[in-house]
């Protein structure tokens, strides 16, 4: 068993740090280590470590316990779940609304484990595997958003026992060890303090009920292999990358499911190049049009747009179509489309054209 590091050391603050100092230091570290942003292999461990340290030190009572008795003072009195649940009110405050998507379902999950910032703090239960789903989308999908419908390998209710895990017609009895709660509390006194530990009941494996005759098809699990349909919205404005949908991976009887990792690749477009929410488009015009000016119709992602090429336009002039780009992620506002005028100089001209140009040249010299 590894020794836990000192919480103050983990956050890099002094023992007498104020609540504000602790909060700002945690924000910094949590953003640094959050695995949605940090791809190094030990980011998850660091994230858990700083989050636990923050959960304890941001709570006056827990911090007092920790200051007086160290790790054993806190661990003896609170389960891991209690440590985090007690601080949940602070997290929105810490990350602000901009981080809602990363931290959504912070405390969802339930069962015997719980989730925090995309991590399972289970009570020894096995976590389901992550599933990976690859998809390619077009720039038009990025403009409008896209509904994805997928089938995932998963567990469905056992058809024989209808999910109860018991042979049809037989009964289940309430576990007498935990009285059906699925958890066992043990308390132990030490000096002036009483430490309460909550653990899953061993006898019923946390289910609260005992199956007398397990269903032969599913061996008492109540589940069988199957596919499950899942649909989700790819939001407009999204960039290529990996996105995590919490709890939609493989499910486990521990109640701790893995995540679904969606790898999105935005396909290159035949006409437009993308930079964030802005689109870039090259329009070829002749040197005559650049000189004389012209009304043009250029494509946009949604249709077409009229533009005026002014007389005397220079090569690489950029014309901005305001609001014709892609939506900014998580916002209604849109980027712009930039039309670059590429002036084509003729590579071959015939005798007659040459004569005309030379005449023009002479005229320009006279001016
Ligand atoms: Zn029990
Ligand atoms: Zn069954």
């Amino acid at each position: 068993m590894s020794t836990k590091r000192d919480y103050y050391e983990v956050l890099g603050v002094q023992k007498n740090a104020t609540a504000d100092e602790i909060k700002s230091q945690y924000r910094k570290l949590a953003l640094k280590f959050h695995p949605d942003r940090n791809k190094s292999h030990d980011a998850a461990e660091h994230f858990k470590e700083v989050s636990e340290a923050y959960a304890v030190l941001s709570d006056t009572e827990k911090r007092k316990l920790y200051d007086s008795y160290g790790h054993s003072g806190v661990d003896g009195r609170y389960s891991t779940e209690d440590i985090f649940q007690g601080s949940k009110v602070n997290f929105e405050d810490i990350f602000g609304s901009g981080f809602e998507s990363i931290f959504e379902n912070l405390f969802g999950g339930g069962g015997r484990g719980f989730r925090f910032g995309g991590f399972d703090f289970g009570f020894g239960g096995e976590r389901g595997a992550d599933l990976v789903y690859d998809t390619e989308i077009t720039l038009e999908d990025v403009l409008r958003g896209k509904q994805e419908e997928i089938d995932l390998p998963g567990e469905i209710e056992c058809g024989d026992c209808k999910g109860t895990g018991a042979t049809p017609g037989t009964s289940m009895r309430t576990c007498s060890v935990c009285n059906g709660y699925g958890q066992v509390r043990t308390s132990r006194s030490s000096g002036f303090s009483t430490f309460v530990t909550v653990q899953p009941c061993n006898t019923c494996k946390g289910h609260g009920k005992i199956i007398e005759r397990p269903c032969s098809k599913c061996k008492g699990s109540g589940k069988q292999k199957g596919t499950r349909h899942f649909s989700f919205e790819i939001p407009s404005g999204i960039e290529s990358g990996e996105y995590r949908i919490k709890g939609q991976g493989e499910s486990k009887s521990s109640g701790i499911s893995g995540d679904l990792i969606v790898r999105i690749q935005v396909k290159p477009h035949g006409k437009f190049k993308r930079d964030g929410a802005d689109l870039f488009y090259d329009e070829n015009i002749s040197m005559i049009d650049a000189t004389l000016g012209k009304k043009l119709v250029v494509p946009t992602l949604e249709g077409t747009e009229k533009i005026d090429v002014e007389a005397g336009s220079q090569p690489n002039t950029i014309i901005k179509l305001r609001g014709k780009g892609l939506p900014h992620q998580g916002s209604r506002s849109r980027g712009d489309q930039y039309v670059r005028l590429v002036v084509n100089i003729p590579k071959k001209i015939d005798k007659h054209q040459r004569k005309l140009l030379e005449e023009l040249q002479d005229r320009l010299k006279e001016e």
Side-chain angles (χ1 to χ4, degrees):
M1 187 153 171
S2 61
T3 13
K4 271 194 190 176
R5 282 169 70 206
D6 175 62
Y7 286 147
Y8 291 99
E9 191 188 306
V10 167
L11 288 180
V13 294
Q14 300 289 321
K15 293 261 188 245
N16 58 2
T18 63
D20 281 345
E21 284 166 357
I22 289 173
K23 188 194 279 184
S24 96
Q25 187 62 14
Y26 171 62
R27 183 192 281 130
K28 213 163 86 189
L29 293 173
L31 291 180
K32 177 178 169 194
F33 290 125
H34 195 282
D36 284 357
R37 318 178 124 213
N38 188 328
K39 297 297 172 209
S40 65
H41 70 284
D42 52 358
E45 282 311 311
H46 279 302
F47 182 76
K48 283 185 187 176
E49 195 182 28
V50 296
S51 296
E52 185 182 320
Y54 173 70
V56 171
L57 297 186
S58 62
D59 180 301
T60 322
E61 201 177 312
K62 288 170 192 155
R63 185 175 176 184
K64 214 182 279 176
L65 265 179
Y66 180 72
D67 287 344
S68 314
Y69 303 103
H71 285 299
S72 62
V74 181
D75 296 348
R77 179 161 296 200
Y78 299 100
S79 68
T80 314
E81 186 171 21
D82 290 334
I83 289 176
F84 283 92
Q85 298 289 29
S87 342
K88 77 164 116 178
V89 283
N90 297 327
F91 285 102
E92 204 170 296
D93 184 26
I94 287 285
F95 296 104
S97 54
F99 267 85
E100 269 165 4
S101 62
I102 291 181
F103 284 84
E104 70 190 331
N105 298 331
L106 227 61
F107 292 95
R112 281 168 52 198
F114 69 103
R115 303 180 61 76
F116 169 74
F119 286 94
D120 295 303
F121 290 81
F123 306 139
E126 200 189 341
R127 181 184 184 271
D130 289 340
L131 298 174
V132 178
Y133 173 72
D134 285 300
T135 185
E136 272 197 336
I137 61 171
T138 63
L139 272 189
E140 284 81 358
D141 295 331
V142 175
L143 175 69
R144 298 184 185 94
K146 190 187 183 199
Q147 188 75 19
E148 288 273 312
E149 308 278 339
I150 57 179
D151 283 318
L152 293 168
E155 286 181 322
I156 54 171
E157 195 180 273
C158 169
D160 280 15
C161 62
K162 303 282 177 282
T164 64
T167 301
T170 65
S171 60
M172 288 189 286
R173 64 182 164 84
T174 303
C175 172
S176 57
V177 174
C178 64
N179 291 319
Y181 288 108
Q183 291 181 336
V184 187
R185 277 175 180 267
T186 47
S187 51
R188 128 184 104 80
S189 294
S190 162
F192 303 106
S193 309
T194 305
F195 298 115
V196 178
T197 319
V198 181
Q199 282 180 319
C201 172
N202 268 333
T203 311
C204 62
K205 303 276 183 288
H207 295 298
K209 289 198 183 307
I210 293 187
I211 295 164
E212 307 261 294
R213 285 176 55 203
C215 164
S216 57
K217 186 171 178 188
C218 63
K219 301 192 171 54
S221 71
K223 308 239 171 70
Q224 67 178 97
K225 281 200 175 11
T227 54
R228 102 190 123 85
H229 190 73
F230 181 63
S231 71
F232 60 97
E233 170 83 15
I234 295 178
S236 61
I238 204 154
E239 301 264 2
S240 292
E242 278 189 20
Y243 299 87
R244 192 175 277 269
I245 302 179
K246 319 270 192 240
Q248 290 298 335
E250 185 198 19
S251 60
K252 270 275 175 323
S253 54
S254 61
I256 310 169
S257 298
D259 296 334
L260 174 64
I261 295 171
V262 181
R263 294 197 296 212
I264 295 175
Q265 186 64 43
V266 181
K267 277 191 268 193
H269 195 281
K271 292 193 173 103
F272 304 104
K273 284 205 164 52
R274 174 192 192 182
D275 182 12
D278 293 329
L279 293 173
F280 295 84
Y281 170 75
D282 280 351
E283 176 74 18
N284 287 281
I285 60 168
S286 70
M287 67 170 193
I288 311 282
D289 287 340
T291 313
L292 302 179
K294 195 185 185 186
K295 287 194 189 311
L296 278 180
V297 176
V298 295
T300 64
L301 265 188
E302 293 139 293
T304 55
E305 196 74 14
K306 288 187 184 115
I307 59 170
D308 266 334
V309 173
E310 283 176 35
S313 285
Q314 300 301 304
N316 301 321
T317 296
I318 305 243
I319 298 166
K320 178 162 153 181
L321 301 176
R322 193 172 287 281
K324 292 291 168 189
L326 297 165
H328 293 281
Q329 226 171 317
S331 150
R332 283 175 178 227
S333 73
R334 283 175 61 176
D336 306 312
Q337 178 175 327
Y338 294 91
V339 178
R340 183 169 71 131
L341 300 179
V342 178
V343 178
N344 292 325
I345 311 292
K347 285 187 177 149
K348 259 189 191 162
I349 46 174
D350 60 26
K351 263 189 194 167
H352 182 61
Q353 288 165 333
R354 181 167 193 95
K355 206 160 170 264
L356 285 172
L357 282 175
E358 281 167 354
E359 260 176 51
L360 177 65
Q361 192 176 39
D362 291 342
R363 293 284 287 275
L364 289 171
K365 270 184 203 158
E366 285 164 23
E367 276 173 16

